[in-house]
């Protein structure tokens, strides 16, 4: 499932809502005060996440005329905050993940919480705790979406094969993405440790030696450079080849670059 979904796409879910394997509606669950309602919501999250992701809309119920708004709409929707929703996910889902929560208007302008359940998991998501009195959700249970639609534990070899195949595909897709990034150069490179600042240290060493040699000389003699001075230095880096010492002056002369007037070397 895409990491980011437009509000227009979410609003489309409320135009003519119909439950499917990746879309479920729940009434106005009391996610703050009722542990049973928390477990009911968590079971739907577990099943949809193992299906590959999807949506849960709160505040809707199935009726003879289709899916309609549930009774007893709360005065505010503060009880369906993203922090509260993800607190339930963290308590019930292993491995845990993040769900986005959006408050979306239906065509009549009524607002409903839409919870986006991510897919793409590399392992089956299990319940890390039971619901109240062991009801609704069982500890360590794995739930999937099945035709109906309904959320149940896998009951057949085909159920398990579908779930495990989905996880293996996600592992494969992740590996292929990494290989693709590597080929395209998109993989962040590990910052290499800086080489020792040999040139700076060499310059400092040279000045220290010059100071040492001239310290005992009179103030205005030539070796003390009484009219000022400036310094140029360079270092040969990269692959080096053996050069006879007698050829070094010749090579240095040939490498002179004249930017203005006299060359620095």
């Amino acid at each position: 499932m895409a990491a980011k979904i437009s509000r227009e796409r979410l609003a489309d879910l409320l135009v003519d809502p119909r439950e499917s394997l990746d879309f479920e509606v729940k009434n106005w669950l009391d996610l703050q005060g009722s542990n049973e309602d928390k477990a009911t919501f968590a079971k739907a999250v577990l099943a949809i996440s193992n299906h590959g992701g999807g949506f849960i809309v709160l505040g809707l119920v199935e009726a003879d005329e289709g899916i309609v708004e549930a009774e007893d709409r709360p005065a505010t929707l503060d009880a369906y905050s993203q922090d509260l929703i993800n607190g339930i996910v963290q308590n019930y889902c292993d491995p845990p993940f993040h769900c986005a929560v959006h408050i979306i208007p239906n065509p009549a302008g009524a607002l409903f919480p839409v919870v986006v359940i991510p897919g793409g998991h590399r392992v089956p998501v299990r319940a890390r705790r039971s619901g109240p009195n062991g009801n609704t959700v069982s500890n360590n249970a794995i739930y999937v979406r099945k035709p109906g639609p309904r959320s149940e534990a896998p009951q057949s070899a085909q159920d398990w094969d579908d779930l495990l195949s989905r996880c293996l595909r996600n592992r494969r897709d992740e590996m292929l993405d990494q290989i693709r990034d590597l080929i395209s150069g998109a993989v962040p490179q590990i910052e290499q440790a800086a080489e020792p600042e040999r040139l700076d240290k060499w310059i400092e060493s040279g000045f220290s030696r010059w100071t040492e040699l001239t310290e005992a000389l009179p103030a205005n003699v030539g070796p003390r450079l009484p009219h000022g001075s400036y310094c140029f230095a360079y270092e040969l880096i990269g692959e080096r080849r053996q050069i006879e010492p007698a050829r070094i002056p010749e090579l240095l002369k040939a490498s002179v670059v004249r930017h203005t007037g006299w060359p620095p070397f």
Side-chain angles (χ1 to χ4, degrees):
M1 169 171 291
K4 185 175 182 179
I5 299 176
S6 69
R7 292 182 64 85
E8 290 77 11
R9 167 72 178 97
L10 297 175
D12 289 343
L13 298 172
L14 300 177
V15 173
D16 184 20
R18 297 176 184 274
E19 285 197 313
S20 62
L21 294 179
D22 61 358
F23 178 69
E24 186 165 359
V25 300
K26 295 292 184 185
N27 61 21
W28 296 111
L29 297 175
D30 180 6
L31 299 182
Q32 286 184 315
S34 170
N35 290 329
E36 188 65 43
D37 282 1
K38 292 178 183 178
T40 297
F41 175 76
K43 184 176 182 179
V45 171
L46 287 160
I48 291 177
S49 67
N50 282 324
H51 178 71
F55 310 91
I56 299 175
V57 177
L58 295 156
L60 298 176
V61 294
E62 286 194 89
D64 293 339
E65 61 272 30
I67 293 178
V68 299
E69 180 176 351
E71 297 179 354
D72 300 323
R73 169 183 278 271
T76 71
L77 300 183
D78 295 343
Y80 302 103
S81 69
Q82 186 162 280
D83 287 344
L84 187 143
I85 294 289
N86 280 292
I88 297 172
V89 173
Q90 297 290 320
N91 287 332
Y92 274 93
C93 298
D94 180 36
F97 48 85
H98 177 80
C99 294
V101 181
H102 303 270
I103 305 300
I104 303 295
N106 71 356
L111 297 175
F112 295 90
V114 179
V115 184
V116 182
I117 314 299
H121 303 288
R122 299 167 67 246
V123 296
V125 181
R126 72 173 183 93
R128 64 188 304 170
R129 61 180 296 176
S130 298
N133 302 315
N135 297 327
T136 310
V137 176
S138 299
N139 187 31
N140 291 319
I142 292 173
Y143 297 97
V144 297
R145 293 289 281 172
K146 303 183 72 173
R150 60 191 190 276
S151 300
E152 294 183 352
Q155 300 294 324
S156 66
Q158 186 62 51
D159 290 341
W160 281 108
D161 184 65
D162 290 344
L163 173 59
L164 296 178
S165 294
R166 186 176 298 111
C167 292
L168 289 174
R169 283 196 302 271
N170 293 334
R171 285 176 177 262
R172 180 200 63 191
D173 292 344
E174 180 179 325
M175 181 182 67
L176 291 176
D177 286 342
Q178 292 174 347
I179 294 174
R180 190 179 300 110
D181 288 343
L182 183 63
I183 293 173
S184 65
V187 176
Q189 299 298 314
I190 298 176
E191 185 176 350
Q192 300 295 324
E195 292 186 5
E197 297 177 346
R198 292 171 297 201
L199 185 59
D200 290 340
K201 291 182 178 180
W202 185 82
I203 293 171
E204 292 175 4
S205 175
F207 272 115
S208 296
R209 179 58 175 161
W210 172 76
T211 301
E212 177 185 339
L213 292 174
T214 60
E215 188 173 8
L217 297 177
N220 295 319
V221 298
R224 296 202 68 165
L225 308 176
H227 302 295
S229 66
Y230 61 91
C231 171
F232 289 92
Y234 65 85
E235 177 184 11
L236 300 177
I237 61 175
E239 186 177 353
R240 300 169 187 172
R241 56 190 176 90
Q242 294 296 325
I243 300 174
E244 296 178 7
R247 293 196 59 209
I248 291 179
E250 172 191 347
L251 295 174
L252 290 175
K253 184 177 181 180
S255 66
V256 166
V257 177
R258 295 178 180 271
H259 294 291
T260 59
W262 290 348
F265 299 101

